Amino acid sequence: IVGGNDTTRNTMTSSVYGLTKYPDQYDKLIADPGLISNLVPEIIRWQTPLSYMRRTANNDCEIGGKQIRKNDQILMWYLSANRDETVFDNADAIDLERHNADRHLSFGYGIHFCLGAALARLEGRVALDEVLKRWPEWEVDTANAKQALTSTVRGWESLPVTTQ
């Protein structure tokens, strides 16, 4: 139940920030609210609520030409994977029409896939739909926005927003 507290909250605030940073994408969303179904995976890809996950190698192997030994500690950098330009064109930008936004690795992969992924996507769609219905216009005070300084969770300590 509490697994998505930080990640879902930070995805929501980053949606507001991201749509402010890319006003052309915000305009597309207002013109076509159906794009909200692609906004959620795109924001999760772009925001990447968790920076990394540590794992222990079960056996010797090679990854990308690097030798990994059994019991080595390995970090999987979600942010790097989700900005991989061999997978995502213009990876640093938000693109609501990105055809492969759902290929992000924010929820992990295989046996390490997040149990709450379906709930997180649902929460994102519902929350963003309600935000856009209630406050279709907002302004982020970027001068006073403050990102949280943590190595694991990417999010905001403060994101002042005013609505019209």
Side-chain angles (χ1 to χ4, degrees):
I1 290 173
V2 298
N5 283 354
D6 286 332
T7 53
T8 300
R9 175 176 45 86
N10 288 316
T11 297
M12 297 303 101
T13 53
S14 291
S15 298
V16 171
Y17 175 80
L19 289 170
T20 300
K21 184 173 178 167
Y22 295 95
D24 61 317
Q25 299 302 302
Y26 174 80
D27 292 342
K28 282 183 186 180
L29 183 62
I30 294 303
D32 180 4
L35 286 172
I36 202 160
S37 62
N38 209 44
L39 169 65
V40 173
E42 178 64 356
I43 288 294
I44 291 170
R45 179 201 69 79
W46 180 77
Q47 151 64 6
T48 309
L50 292 178
S51 300
Y52 68 88
M53 185 63 65
R54 185 193 58 79
R55 295 285 182 243
T56 303
N58 290 332
N59 50 39
D60 293 349
C61 63
E62 185 178 309
I63 300 174
K66 217 39 164 158
Q67 187 64 39
I68 308 296
R69 303 261 181 239
K70 182 178 180 175
N71 296 322
D72 279 355
Q73 302 298 298
I74 306 165
L75 291 182
M76 172 17 203
W77 287 94
Y78 295 118
L79 182 59
S80 178
N82 290 343
R83 301 283 177 102
D84 183 345
E85 292 194 353
T86 65
V87 177
F88 303 106
D89 292 332
N90 196 16
D92 288 334
I94 293 172
D95 179 357
L96 297 185
E97 297 172 312
R98 189 179 302 280
H99 73 302
N100 63 346
D102 62 347
R103 288 198 50 208
H104 67 79
L105 294 178
S106 295
F107 293 124
Y109 185 80
I111 64 170
H112 295 290
F113 192 75
C114 175
L115 219 60
L119 178 59
R121 290 188 290 255
L122 176 63
E123 287 173 332
R125 280 193 308 275
V126 170
L128 292 170
D129 186 47
E130 290 301 316
V131 164
L132 290 168
K133 282 179 191 172
R134 295 171 192 216
W135 304 288
E137 295 182 38
W138 64 72
E139 188 174 317
V140 174
D141 179 1
T142 54
N144 291 306
K146 187 175 179 185
Q147 283 195 289
L149 297 176
T150 169
S151 63
T152 52
V153 178
R154 295 188 70 234
W156 300 94
E157 189 173 301
S158 172
L159 188 69
V161 176
T162 54
T163 60
Q164 281 83 29

